[in-house]
Amino acid sequence: MPLILVIHVLAAVIWVGGMFFAHQILRPAVQALDPAVRLPLWSRTFARFFPWVWSAVILLPATGYFMMGRWFGFAHAPLFVNLMQGIGIVMILIYLHVFFAPYAQLRRALAAQDLPAAGRAISQIRVLVGTNTLLGLLTIAIAVGGSR
Ligand code: HEM
């Protein structure tokens, strides 16, 4: 397996696996906590996870388009690669929105000790991260299925 593909797949594993853990495991586990504890916990969790996601959203298209150009030629990429890049771009746009809109609101609201506003921001993040988790799993299925 070429190193570039290993980097690409590791970036996908870290991003999609991290979202799956946050949405399916951590979220239900902390749901019963007091908002004054739960919302700052989410903020600290994202502060640690999002630098990894930034690496993934840079590395996935960088390695992906490199492989696409080298291995297939941009005009001749197979359908599964085009589906991967299409869904991948949507996932990256969703992440950028999460980072610059509700996550920024979450941090501002917590700095102002406005828990209701922080709660609204976290609800938006939950829906968007849930969507991206599904899109990520779908992309992996398409990528692995299509390359066989
Ligand atoms: C953003 C633009 C993206 C481009 C241009 C791209 C392109 C590619 C290319 C050219 C390959 C090699 C295909 C082959 O082995 O013949 C590949 C493999 C792969 N990609 Fe992407 N990709 C992108 C995003 C993503 C995303 C967002 C994910 C998952 C969340 C993903 C998951 C994978 C996986 C798991 C493989 C390995 C498939 C296998 O060899 O079995 N890619 N990608």
Side-chain angles (χ1 to χ4, degrees), residues 1 5 8-9 12 15-16 60-61 63-65 67-68 71-72 80-81 84-89 91-92 135-137 139-140 143-145 147-148:
M1 202 188 197
L5 183 57
H8 189 81
V9 171
W15 185 14
V16 180
L60 278 169
T63 52
Y65 287 115
M67 291 186 289
M68 197 169 159
W71 296 356
F72 305 105
F80 82 92
V81 172
M84 178 169 15
Q85 66 151 330
I87 306 173
I89 288 167
M91 288 176 63
I92 291 168
L135 291 177
L137 294 174
T139 311
I140 291 170
V144 175
S147 66
R148 289 296 169 280

PDB file of all heavy atoms in Angstrom, residues 1 5 8-9 12 15-16 60-61 63-65 67-68 71-72 80-81 84-89 91-92 135-137 139-140 143-145 147-148, ligand 1:
ATOM      1  N   MET A   1       0.859  -1.194   0.000  1.00  0.00           N
ATOM      2  CA  MET A   1       0.000   0.000   0.000  1.00  0.00           C
ATOM      3  C   MET A   1       0.899   1.251   0.000  1.00  0.00           C
ATOM      4  O   MET A   1       1.707   1.436   0.915  1.00  0.00           O
ATOM      5  CB  MET A   1      -0.868  -0.030   1.263  1.00  0.00           C
ATOM      6  CG  MET A   1      -2.124   0.802   1.155  1.00  0.00           C
ATOM      7  SD  MET A   1      -2.913   0.879   2.769  1.00  0.00           S
ATOM      8  CE  MET A   1      -4.537   1.428   2.322  1.00  0.00           C
ATOM      9  N   LEU A   5      -1.422   6.682   0.189  1.00  0.00           N
ATOM     10  CA  LEU A   5      -2.753   6.109   0.461  1.00  0.00           C
ATOM     11  C   LEU A   5      -2.903   5.814   1.958  1.00  0.00           C
ATOM     12  O   LEU A   5      -3.977   5.967   2.531  1.00  0.00           O
ATOM     13  CB  LEU A   5      -2.952   4.852  -0.393  1.00  0.00           C
ATOM     14  CG  LEU A   5      -4.303   4.137  -0.305  1.00  0.00           C
ATOM     15  CD1 LEU A   5      -5.449   5.076  -0.649  1.00  0.00           C
ATOM     16  CD2 LEU A   5      -4.336   2.932  -1.256  1.00  0.00           C
ATOM     17  N   HIS A   8      -3.735   9.036   3.611  1.00  0.00           N
ATOM     18  CA  HIS A   8      -5.127   9.360   3.264  1.00  0.00           C
ATOM     19  C   HIS A   8      -6.102   8.568   4.147  1.00  0.00           C
ATOM     20  O   HIS A   8      -7.013   9.130   4.739  1.00  0.00           O
ATOM     21  CB  HIS A   8      -5.319   9.009   1.780  1.00  0.00           C
ATOM     22  CG  HIS A   8      -6.610   9.444   1.169  1.00  0.00           C
ATOM     23  ND1 HIS A   8      -6.836  10.721   0.732  1.00  0.00           N
ATOM     24  CD2 HIS A   8      -7.749   8.759   0.909  1.00  0.00           C
ATOM     25  CE1 HIS A   8      -8.055  10.809   0.221  1.00  0.00           C
ATOM     26  NE2 HIS A   8      -8.635   9.619   0.318  1.00  0.00           N
ATOM     27  N   VAL A   9      -5.859   7.267   4.243  1.00  0.00           N
ATOM     28  CA  VAL A   9      -6.781   6.414   5.001  1.00  0.00           C
ATOM     29  C   VAL A   9      -6.677   6.724   6.505  1.00  0.00           C
ATOM     30  O   VAL A   9      -7.707   6.772   7.193  1.00  0.00           O
ATOM     31  CB  VAL A   9      -6.508   4.913   4.698  1.00  0.00           C
ATOM     32  CG1 VAL A   9      -7.301   4.014   5.638  1.00  0.00           C
ATOM     33  CG2 VAL A   9      -6.861   4.596   3.253  1.00  0.00           C
ATOM     34  N   ALA A  12      -8.725   9.716   7.263  1.00  0.00           N
ATOM     35  CA  ALA A  12     -10.157   9.376   7.272  1.00  0.00           C
ATOM     36  C   ALA A  12     -10.526   8.646   8.563  1.00  0.00           C
ATOM     37  O   ALA A  12     -11.556   8.937   9.181  1.00  0.00           O
ATOM     38  CB  ALA A  12     -10.494   8.520   6.047  1.00  0.00           C
ATOM     39  N   TRP A  15     -10.569  11.163  11.570  1.00  0.00           N
ATOM     40  CA  TRP A  15     -11.689  12.103  11.508  1.00  0.00           C
ATOM     41  C   TRP A  15     -13.025  11.385  11.754  1.00  0.00           C
ATOM     42  O   TRP A  15     -13.785  11.743  12.651  1.00  0.00           O
ATOM     43  CB  TRP A  15     -11.692  12.809  10.141  1.00  0.00           C
ATOM     44  CG  TRP A  15     -12.728  13.880   9.981  1.00  0.00           C
ATOM     45  CD1 TRP A  15     -13.468  14.470  10.974  1.00  0.00           C
ATOM     46  CD2 TRP A  15     -13.138  14.504   8.762  1.00  0.00           C
ATOM     47  NE1 TRP A  15     -14.296  15.423  10.435  1.00  0.00           N
ATOM     48  CE2 TRP A  15     -14.106  15.463   9.081  1.00  0.00           C
ATOM     49  CE3 TRP A  15     -12.761  14.348   7.425  1.00  0.00           C
ATOM     50  CZ2 TRP A  15     -14.722  16.259   8.106  1.00  0.00           C
ATOM     51  CZ3 TRP A  15     -13.355  15.146   6.460  1.00  0.00           C
ATOM     52  CH2 TRP A  15     -14.330  16.085   6.799  1.00  0.00           C
ATOM     53  N   VAL A  16     -13.291  10.333  10.963  1.00  0.00           N
ATOM     54  CA  VAL A  16     -14.598   9.678  11.053  1.00  0.00           C
ATOM     55  C   VAL A  16     -14.721   8.907  12.379  1.00  0.00           C
ATOM     56  O   VAL A  16     -15.764   8.948  13.036  1.00  0.00           O
ATOM     57  CB  VAL A  16     -14.842   8.760   9.827  1.00  0.00           C
ATOM     58  CG1 VAL A  16     -16.197   8.072   9.923  1.00  0.00           C
ATOM     59  CG2 VAL A  16     -14.760   9.578   8.528  1.00  0.00           C
ATOM     60  N   LEU A  60      -6.693  15.033   3.501  1.00  0.00           N
ATOM     61  CA  LEU A  60      -7.548  14.193   2.640  1.00  0.00           C
ATOM     62  C   LEU A  60      -7.592  14.717   1.203  1.00  0.00           C
ATOM     63  O   LEU A  60      -7.284  13.965   0.271  1.00  0.00           O
ATOM     64  CB  LEU A  60      -8.955  14.045   3.226  1.00  0.00           C
ATOM     65  CG  LEU A  60      -9.092  12.971   4.312  1.00  0.00           C
ATOM     66  CD1 LEU A  60     -10.438  13.081   5.013  1.00  0.00           C
ATOM     67  CD2 LEU A  60      -8.937  11.578   3.718  1.00  0.00           C
ATOM     68  N   PRO A  61      -7.951  16.011   0.987  1.00  0.00           N
ATOM     69  CA  PRO A  61      -7.940  16.472  -0.407  1.00  0.00           C
ATOM     70  C   PRO A  61      -6.528  16.532  -0.987  1.00  0.00           C
ATOM     71  O   PRO A  61      -6.337  16.207  -2.166  1.00  0.00           O
ATOM     72  CB  PRO A  61      -8.583  17.871  -0.362  1.00  0.00           C
ATOM     73  CG  PRO A  61      -8.661  18.258   1.070  1.00  0.00           C
ATOM     74  CD  PRO A  61      -8.544  17.014   1.895  1.00  0.00           C
ATOM     75  N   THR A  63      -3.786  14.612  -0.396  1.00  0.00           N
ATOM     76  CA  THR A  63      -3.344  13.272  -0.824  1.00  0.00           C
ATOM     77  C   THR A  63      -4.301  12.713  -1.878  1.00  0.00           C
ATOM     78  O   THR A  63      -3.887  12.061  -2.836  1.00  0.00           O
ATOM     79  CB  THR A  63      -3.284  12.311   0.385  1.00  0.00           C
ATOM     80  OG1 THR A  63      -4.540  12.362   1.077  1.00  0.00           O
ATOM     81  CG2 THR A  63      -2.171  12.682   1.348  1.00  0.00           C
ATOM     82  N   GLY A  64      -5.614  12.981  -1.686  1.00  0.00           N
ATOM     83  CA  GLY A  64      -6.632  12.440  -2.601  1.00  0.00           C
ATOM     84  C   GLY A  64      -6.445  12.958  -4.017  1.00  0.00           C
ATOM     85  O   GLY A  64      -6.446  12.181  -4.981  1.00  0.00           O
ATOM     86  N   TYR A  65      -6.262  14.296  -4.154  1.00  0.00           N
ATOM     87  CA  TYR A  65      -6.118  14.840  -5.514  1.00  0.00           C
ATOM     88  C   TYR A  65      -4.769  14.456  -6.119  1.00  0.00           C
ATOM     89  O   TYR A  65      -4.664  14.286  -7.340  1.00  0.00           O
ATOM     90  CB  TYR A  65      -6.354  16.353  -5.516  1.00  0.00           C
ATOM     91  CG  TYR A  65      -7.826  16.676  -5.339  1.00  0.00           C
ATOM     92  CD1 TYR A  65      -8.294  17.348  -4.218  1.00  0.00           C
ATOM     93  CD2 TYR A  65      -8.757  16.249  -6.282  1.00  0.00           C
ATOM     94  CE1 TYR A  65      -9.647  17.605  -4.039  1.00  0.00           C
ATOM     95  CE2 TYR A  65     -10.112  16.494  -6.120  1.00  0.00           C
ATOM     96  CZ  TYR A  65     -10.551  17.172  -4.999  1.00  0.00           C
ATOM     97  OH  TYR A  65     -11.885  17.403  -4.830  1.00  0.00           O
ATOM     98  N   MET A  67      -3.261  11.527  -5.627  1.00  0.00           N
ATOM     99  CA  MET A  67      -3.453  10.152  -6.147  1.00  0.00           C
ATOM    100  C   MET A  67      -4.321  10.167  -7.394  1.00  0.00           C
ATOM    101  O   MET A  67      -4.055   9.465  -8.371  1.00  0.00           O
ATOM    102  CB  MET A  67      -4.114   9.268  -5.074  1.00  0.00           C
ATOM    103  CG  MET A  67      -3.239   8.962  -3.880  1.00  0.00           C
ATOM    104  SD  MET A  67      -4.021   7.795  -2.744  1.00  0.00           S
ATOM    105  CE  MET A  67      -5.331   8.750  -2.008  1.00  0.00           C
ATOM    106  N   MET A  68      -5.365  11.003  -7.332  1.00  0.00           N
ATOM    107  CA  MET A  68      -6.308  11.067  -8.460  1.00  0.00           C
ATOM    108  C   MET A  68      -5.567  11.481  -9.736  1.00  0.00           C
ATOM    109  O   MET A  68      -5.708  10.838 -10.787  1.00  0.00           O
ATOM    110  CB  MET A  68      -7.388  12.091  -8.110  1.00  0.00           C
ATOM    111  CG  MET A  68      -8.644  12.028  -8.919  1.00  0.00           C
ATOM    112  SD  MET A  68      -9.854  13.093  -8.090  1.00  0.00           S
ATOM    113  CE  MET A  68     -10.953  13.394  -9.442  1.00  0.00           C
ATOM    114  N   TRP A  71      -2.726   8.604 -10.539  1.00  0.00           N
ATOM    115  CA  TRP A  71      -3.129   7.218 -10.814  1.00  0.00           C
ATOM    116  C   TRP A  71      -4.179   7.102 -11.914  1.00  0.00           C
ATOM    117  O   TRP A  71      -4.284   6.094 -12.572  1.00  0.00           O
ATOM    118  CB  TRP A  71      -3.660   6.545  -9.535  1.00  0.00           C
ATOM    119  CG  TRP A  71      -2.629   6.415  -8.461  1.00  0.00           C
ATOM    120  CD1 TRP A  71      -1.310   6.768  -8.557  1.00  0.00           C
ATOM    121  CD2 TRP A  71      -2.815   5.912  -7.149  1.00  0.00           C
ATOM    122  NE1 TRP A  71      -0.673   6.521  -7.374  1.00  0.00           N
ATOM    123  CE2 TRP A  71      -1.565   5.988  -6.487  1.00  0.00           C
ATOM    124  CE3 TRP A  71      -3.904   5.407  -6.447  1.00  0.00           C
ATOM    125  CZ2 TRP A  71      -1.389   5.583  -5.170  1.00  0.00           C
ATOM    126  CZ3 TRP A  71      -3.734   4.991  -5.139  1.00  0.00           C
ATOM    127  CH2 TRP A  71      -2.468   5.085  -4.507  1.00  0.00           C
ATOM    128  N   PHE A  72      -5.025   8.134 -12.029  1.00  0.00           N
ATOM    129  CA  PHE A  72      -6.126   8.023 -12.993  1.00  0.00           C
ATOM    130  C   PHE A  72      -6.097   9.130 -14.038  1.00  0.00           C
ATOM    131  O   PHE A  72      -6.532   8.942 -15.163  1.00  0.00           O
ATOM    132  CB  PHE A  72      -7.482   8.078 -12.270  1.00  0.00           C
ATOM    133  CG  PHE A  72      -7.637   7.057 -11.177  1.00  0.00           C
ATOM    134  CD1 PHE A  72      -7.562   7.418  -9.841  1.00  0.00           C
ATOM    135  CD2 PHE A  72      -7.864   5.718 -11.485  1.00  0.00           C
ATOM    136  CE1 PHE A  72      -7.700   6.471  -8.832  1.00  0.00           C
ATOM    137  CE2 PHE A  72      -7.998   4.776 -10.487  1.00  0.00           C
ATOM    138  CZ  PHE A  72      -7.914   5.149  -9.150  1.00  0.00           C
ATOM    139  N   PHE A  80     -16.287   5.807  -8.274  1.00  0.00           N
ATOM    140  CA  PHE A  80     -16.179   5.798  -6.798  1.00  0.00           C
ATOM    141  C   PHE A  80     -15.271   6.915  -6.300  1.00  0.00           C
ATOM    142  O   PHE A  80     -15.501   7.481  -5.231  1.00  0.00           O
ATOM    143  CB  PHE A  80     -15.738   4.413  -6.276  1.00  0.00           C
ATOM    144  CG  PHE A  80     -14.256   4.141  -6.336  1.00  0.00           C
ATOM    145  CD1 PHE A  80     -13.437   4.430  -5.249  1.00  0.00           C
ATOM    146  CD2 PHE A  80     -13.676   3.575  -7.456  1.00  0.00           C
ATOM    147  CE1 PHE A  80     -12.074   4.172  -5.282  1.00  0.00           C
ATOM    148  CE2 PHE A  80     -12.317   3.314  -7.500  1.00  0.00           C
ATOM    149  CZ  PHE A  80     -11.514   3.608  -6.425  1.00  0.00           C
ATOM    150  N   VAL A  81     -14.254   7.274  -7.100  1.00  0.00           N
ATOM    151  CA  VAL A  81     -13.362   8.364  -6.689  1.00  0.00           C
ATOM    152  C   VAL A  81     -14.102   9.705  -6.799  1.00  0.00           C
ATOM    153  O   VAL A  81     -13.974  10.578  -5.937  1.00  0.00           O
ATOM    154  CB  VAL A  81     -12.056   8.356  -7.521  1.00  0.00           C
ATOM    155  CG1 VAL A  81     -11.224   9.602  -7.242  1.00  0.00           C
ATOM    156  CG2 VAL A  81     -11.238   7.111  -7.220  1.00  0.00           C
ATOM    157  N   MET A  84     -16.362   9.935  -3.920  1.00  0.00           N
ATOM    158  CA  MET A  84     -15.570  10.212  -2.715  1.00  0.00           C
ATOM    159  C   MET A  84     -15.214  11.687  -2.637  1.00  0.00           C
ATOM    160  O   MET A  84     -15.384  12.324  -1.600  1.00  0.00           O
ATOM    161  CB  MET A  84     -14.302   9.351  -2.752  1.00  0.00           C
ATOM    162  CG  MET A  84     -13.397   9.586  -1.580  1.00  0.00           C
ATOM    163  SD  MET A  84     -12.067   8.384  -1.425  1.00  0.00           S
ATOM    164  CE  MET A  84     -11.968   7.519  -2.934  1.00  0.00           C
ATOM    165  N   GLN A  85     -14.731  12.257  -3.743  1.00  0.00           N
ATOM    166  CA  GLN A  85     -14.340  13.667  -3.678  1.00  0.00           C
ATOM    167  C   GLN A  85     -15.574  14.547  -3.508  1.00  0.00           C
ATOM    168  O   GLN A  85     -15.533  15.535  -2.772  1.00  0.00           O
ATOM    169  CB  GLN A  85     -13.515  14.093  -4.886  1.00  0.00           C
ATOM    170  CG  GLN A  85     -14.241  14.072  -6.198  1.00  0.00           C
ATOM    171  CD  GLN A  85     -13.676  15.105  -7.172  1.00  0.00           C
ATOM    172  OE1 GLN A  85     -13.187  16.136  -6.763  1.00  0.00           O
ATOM    173  NE2 GLN A  85     -13.772  14.810  -8.456  1.00  0.00           N
ATOM    174  N   GLY A  86     -16.706  14.176  -4.132  1.00  0.00           N
ATOM    175  CA  GLY A  86     -17.924  15.000  -4.001  1.00  0.00           C
ATOM    176  C   GLY A  86     -18.407  15.018  -2.555  1.00  0.00           C
ATOM    177  O   GLY A  86     -18.621  16.086  -1.965  1.00  0.00           O
ATOM    178  N   ILE A  87     -18.557  13.825  -1.964  1.00  0.00           N
ATOM    179  CA  ILE A  87     -19.031  13.767  -0.571  1.00  0.00           C
ATOM    180  C   ILE A  87     -17.972  14.355   0.358  1.00  0.00           C
ATOM    181  O   ILE A  87     -18.286  15.037   1.332  1.00  0.00           O
ATOM    182  CB  ILE A  87     -19.394  12.318  -0.155  1.00  0.00           C
ATOM    183  CG1 ILE A  87     -20.394  11.690  -1.134  1.00  0.00           C
ATOM    184  CG2 ILE A  87     -20.010  12.298   1.254  1.00  0.00           C
ATOM    185  CD1 ILE A  87     -20.665  10.211  -0.900  1.00  0.00           C
ATOM    186  N   GLY A  88     -16.691  14.105   0.026  1.00  0.00           N
ATOM    187  CA  GLY A  88     -15.591  14.652   0.837  1.00  0.00           C
ATOM    188  C   GLY A  88     -15.655  16.174   0.903  1.00  0.00           C
ATOM    189  O   GLY A  88     -15.498  16.765   1.974  1.00  0.00           O
ATOM    190  N   ILE A  89     -15.932  16.820  -0.229  1.00  0.00           N
ATOM    191  CA  ILE A  89     -16.010  18.290  -0.244  1.00  0.00           C
ATOM    192  C   ILE A  89     -17.190  18.754   0.626  1.00  0.00           C
ATOM    193  O   ILE A  89     -17.067  19.710   1.401  1.00  0.00           O
ATOM    194  CB  ILE A  89     -16.130  18.812  -1.697  1.00  0.00           C
ATOM    195  CG1 ILE A  89     -14.790  18.625  -2.418  1.00  0.00           C
ATOM    196  CG2 ILE A  89     -16.543  20.278  -1.726  1.00  0.00           C
ATOM    197  CD1 ILE A  89     -14.852  18.795  -3.914  1.00  0.00           C
ATOM    198  N   MET A  91     -18.429  17.181   3.183  1.00  0.00           N
ATOM    199  CA  MET A  91     -18.025  16.972   4.590  1.00  0.00           C
ATOM    200  C   MET A  91     -17.101  18.089   5.073  1.00  0.00           C
ATOM    201  O   MET A  91     -17.222  18.576   6.202  1.00  0.00           O
ATOM    202  CB  MET A  91     -17.283  15.632   4.737  1.00  0.00           C
ATOM    203  CG  MET A  91     -18.160  14.402   4.615  1.00  0.00           C
ATOM    204  SD  MET A  91     -17.145  12.894   4.703  1.00  0.00           S
ATOM    205  CE  MET A  91     -16.477  13.015   6.354  1.00  0.00           C
ATOM    206  N   ILE A  92     -16.172  18.491   4.209  1.00  0.00           N
ATOM    207  CA  ILE A  92     -15.221  19.537   4.603  1.00  0.00           C
ATOM    208  C   ILE A  92     -15.963  20.866   4.796  1.00  0.00           C
ATOM    209  O   ILE A  92     -15.720  21.589   5.770  1.00  0.00           O
ATOM    210  CB  ILE A  92     -14.091  19.649   3.552  1.00  0.00           C
ATOM    211  CG1 ILE A  92     -13.213  18.397   3.613  1.00  0.00           C
ATOM    212  CG2 ILE A  92     -13.244  20.903   3.798  1.00  0.00           C
ATOM    213  CD1 ILE A  92     -12.241  18.226   2.462  1.00  0.00           C
ATOM    214  N   LEU A 135     -22.043  10.633   6.544  1.00  0.00           N
ATOM    215  CA  LEU A 135     -21.394  10.846   5.239  1.00  0.00           C
ATOM    216  C   LEU A 135     -20.010  10.200   5.216  1.00  0.00           C
ATOM    217  O   LEU A 135     -19.600   9.615   4.207  1.00  0.00           O
ATOM    218  CB  LEU A 135     -21.274  12.349   4.945  1.00  0.00           C
ATOM    219  CG  LEU A 135     -22.585  13.093   4.660  1.00  0.00           C
ATOM    220  CD1 LEU A 135     -22.323  14.583   4.450  1.00  0.00           C
ATOM    221  CD2 LEU A 135     -23.283  12.511   3.429  1.00  0.00           C
ATOM    222  N   GLY A 136     -19.293  10.282   6.342  1.00  0.00           N
ATOM    223  CA  GLY A 136     -17.950   9.696   6.420  1.00  0.00           C
ATOM    224  C   GLY A 136     -17.999   8.183   6.275  1.00  0.00           C
ATOM    225  O   GLY A 136     -17.216   7.590   5.530  1.00  0.00           O
ATOM    226  N   LEU A 137     -18.940   7.549   6.978  1.00  0.00           N
ATOM    227  CA  LEU A 137     -19.056   6.082   6.892  1.00  0.00           C
ATOM    228  C   LEU A 137     -19.426   5.680   5.464  1.00  0.00           C
ATOM    229  O   LEU A 137     -18.885   4.712   4.912  1.00  0.00           O
ATOM    230  CB  LEU A 137     -20.100   5.576   7.901  1.00  0.00           C
ATOM    231  CG  LEU A 137     -19.722   5.766   9.387  1.00  0.00           C
ATOM    232  CD1 LEU A 137     -20.882   5.369  10.292  1.00  0.00           C
ATOM    233  CD2 LEU A 137     -18.471   4.964   9.752  1.00  0.00           C
ATOM    234  N   THR A 139     -18.770   7.373   2.735  1.00  0.00           N
ATOM    235  CA  THR A 139     -17.610   7.602   1.852  1.00  0.00           C
ATOM    236  C   THR A 139     -16.617   6.452   1.961  1.00  0.00           C
ATOM    237  O   THR A 139     -16.071   5.985   0.958  1.00  0.00           O
ATOM    238  CB  THR A 139     -16.897   8.926   2.224  1.00  0.00           C
ATOM    239  OG1 THR A 139     -17.877   9.943   2.327  1.00  0.00           O
ATOM    240  CG2 THR A 139     -15.874   9.321   1.181  1.00  0.00           C
ATOM    241  N   ILE A 140     -16.386   5.991   3.190  1.00  0.00           N
ATOM    242  CA  ILE A 140     -15.443   4.876   3.377  1.00  0.00           C
ATOM    243  C   ILE A 140     -15.976   3.627   2.676  1.00  0.00           C
ATOM    244  O   ILE A 140     -15.235   2.910   1.992  1.00  0.00           O
ATOM    245  CB  ILE A 140     -15.198   4.623   4.882  1.00  0.00           C
ATOM    246  CG1 ILE A 140     -14.414   5.801   5.470  1.00  0.00           C
ATOM    247  CG2 ILE A 140     -14.437   3.313   5.100  1.00  0.00           C
ATOM    248  CD1 ILE A 140     -14.317   5.798   6.985  1.00  0.00           C
ATOM    249  N   ALA A 143     -15.478   4.115  -0.983  1.00  0.00           N
ATOM    250  CA  ALA A 143     -14.057   4.070  -1.348  1.00  0.00           C
ATOM    251  C   ALA A 143     -13.553   2.623  -1.359  1.00  0.00           C
ATOM    252  O   ALA A 143     -12.908   2.184  -2.313  1.00  0.00           O
ATOM    253  CB  ALA A 143     -13.230   4.920  -0.382  1.00  0.00           C
ATOM    254  N   VAL A 144     -13.845   1.910  -0.285  1.00  0.00           N
ATOM    255  CA  VAL A 144     -13.309   0.542  -0.162  1.00  0.00           C
ATOM    256  C   VAL A 144     -14.036  -0.387  -1.142  1.00  0.00           C
ATOM    257  O   VAL A 144     -13.405  -1.217  -1.804  1.00  0.00           O
ATOM    258  CB  VAL A 144     -13.425   0.044   1.298  1.00  0.00           C
ATOM    259  CG1 VAL A 144     -12.985  -1.397   1.401  1.00  0.00           C
ATOM    260  CG2 VAL A 144     -12.578   0.917   2.204  1.00  0.00           C
ATOM    261  N   GLY A 145     -15.356  -0.220  -1.238  1.00  0.00           N
ATOM    262  CA  GLY A 145     -16.140  -1.059  -2.170  1.00  0.00           C
ATOM    263  C   GLY A 145     -15.729  -0.802  -3.620  1.00  0.00           C
ATOM    264  O   GLY A 145     -15.546  -1.724  -4.395  1.00  0.00           O
ATOM    265  N   SER A 147     -12.932   0.366  -4.866  1.00  0.00           N
ATOM    266  CA  SER A 147     -11.568   0.051  -5.295  1.00  0.00           C
ATOM    267  C   SER A 147     -11.343  -1.449  -5.449  1.00  0.00           C
ATOM    268  O   SER A 147     -10.264  -1.876  -5.846  1.00  0.00           O
ATOM    269  CB  SER A 147     -10.563   0.622  -4.282  1.00  0.00           C
ATOM    270  OG  SER A 147     -10.698  -0.027  -3.042  1.00  0.00           O
ATOM    271  N   ARG A 148     -12.369  -2.247  -5.136  1.00  0.00           N
ATOM    272  CA  ARG A 148     -12.201  -3.705  -5.266  1.00  0.00           C
ATOM    273  C   ARG A 148     -12.673  -4.193  -6.631  1.00  0.00           C
ATOM    274  O   ARG A 148     -13.561  -3.650  -7.220  1.00  0.00           O
ATOM    275  CB  ARG A 148     -13.020  -4.443  -4.186  1.00  0.00           C
ATOM    276  CG  ARG A 148     -12.443  -4.274  -2.786  1.00  0.00           C
ATOM    277  CD  ARG A 148     -11.053  -4.904  -2.706  1.00  0.00           C
ATOM    278  NE  ARG A 148     -10.358  -4.546  -1.474  1.00  0.00           N
ATOM    279  CZ  ARG A 148      -9.724  -3.383  -1.249  1.00  0.00           C
ATOM    280  NH1 ARG A 148      -9.747  -2.434  -2.165  1.00  0.00           N
ATOM    281  NH2 ARG A 148      -9.102  -3.153  -0.134  1.00  0.00           N
TER     282      ARG A 148
HETATM  283  C1  HEM B   1     -11.690  15.226  -0.660  1.00  0.00           C
HETATM  284  C2  HEM B   1     -11.356  14.625  -1.757  1.00  0.00           C
HETATM  285  C3  HEM B   1     -10.908  13.202  -1.898  1.00  0.00           C
HETATM  286  C4  HEM B   1     -10.248  12.722  -2.984  1.00  0.00           C
HETATM  287  C5  HEM B   1      -9.854  13.492  -4.240  1.00  0.00           C
HETATM  288  C6  HEM B   1      -9.989  11.318  -2.750  1.00  0.00           C
HETATM  289  C7  HEM B   1      -9.320  10.480  -3.633  1.00  0.00           C
HETATM  290  C8  HEM B   1      -8.958   9.177  -3.377  1.00  0.00           C
HETATM  291  C9  HEM B   1      -8.202   8.322  -4.277  1.00  0.00           C
HETATM  292  C10 HEM B   1      -7.686   8.733  -5.676  1.00  0.00           C
HETATM  293  C11 HEM B   1      -8.042   7.117  -3.672  1.00  0.00           C
HETATM  294  C12 HEM B   1      -7.303   5.869  -4.218  1.00  0.00           C
HETATM  295  C13 HEM B   1      -8.305   4.947  -4.834  1.00  0.00           C
HETATM  296  C14 HEM B   1      -7.651   3.601  -5.197  1.00  0.00           C
HETATM  297  O1  HEM B   1      -7.165   2.901  -4.295  1.00  0.00           O
HETATM  298  O2  HEM B   1      -7.675   3.252  -6.380  1.00  0.00           O
HETATM  299  C15 HEM B   1      -8.696   7.190  -2.372  1.00  0.00           C
HETATM  300  C16 HEM B   1      -8.782   6.136  -1.458  1.00  0.00           C
HETATM  301  C17 HEM B   1      -9.509   6.172  -0.282  1.00  0.00           C
HETATM  302  N1  HEM B   1     -10.213   7.254   0.221  1.00  0.00           N
HETATM  303 FE1  HEM B   1     -10.344   9.119  -0.639  1.00  0.00          FE
HETATM  304  N2  HEM B   1     -10.489  10.973  -1.520  1.00  0.00           N
HETATM  305  C18 HEM B   1     -11.061  12.076  -0.956  1.00  0.00           C
HETATM  306  C19 HEM B   1     -11.688  12.134   0.271  1.00  0.00           C
HETATM  307  C20 HEM B   1     -11.936  11.058   1.109  1.00  0.00           C
HETATM  308  C21 HEM B   1     -12.723  11.082   2.319  1.00  0.00           C
HETATM  309  C22 HEM B   1     -13.442  12.324   2.863  1.00  0.00           C
HETATM  310  C23 HEM B   1     -12.704   9.826   2.849  1.00  0.00           C
HETATM  311  C24 HEM B   1     -13.366   9.264   4.092  1.00  0.00           C
HETATM  312  C25 HEM B   1     -13.985   9.966   4.973  1.00  0.00           C
HETATM  313  C26 HEM B   1     -11.899   9.004   1.986  1.00  0.00           C
HETATM  314  C27 HEM B   1     -11.623   7.662   2.198  1.00  0.00           C
HETATM  315  C28 HEM B   1     -10.821   6.869   1.398  1.00  0.00           C
HETATM  316  C29 HEM B   1     -10.497   5.477   1.674  1.00  0.00           C
HETATM  317  C30 HEM B   1     -10.956   4.657   2.886  1.00  0.00           C
HETATM  318  C31 HEM B   1      -9.680   5.048   0.628  1.00  0.00           C
HETATM  319  C32 HEM B   1      -9.039   3.639   0.456  1.00  0.00           C
HETATM  320  C33 HEM B   1      -9.843   2.819  -0.515  1.00  0.00           C
HETATM  321  C34 HEM B   1      -9.121   1.494  -0.800  1.00  0.00           C
HETATM  322  O3  HEM B   1      -8.027   1.520  -1.378  1.00  0.00           O
HETATM  323  O4  HEM B   1      -9.659   0.447  -0.446  1.00  0.00           O
HETATM  324  N3  HEM B   1     -11.446   9.793   0.934  1.00  0.00           N
HETATM  325  N4  HEM B   1      -9.236   8.438  -2.227  1.00  0.00           N
END
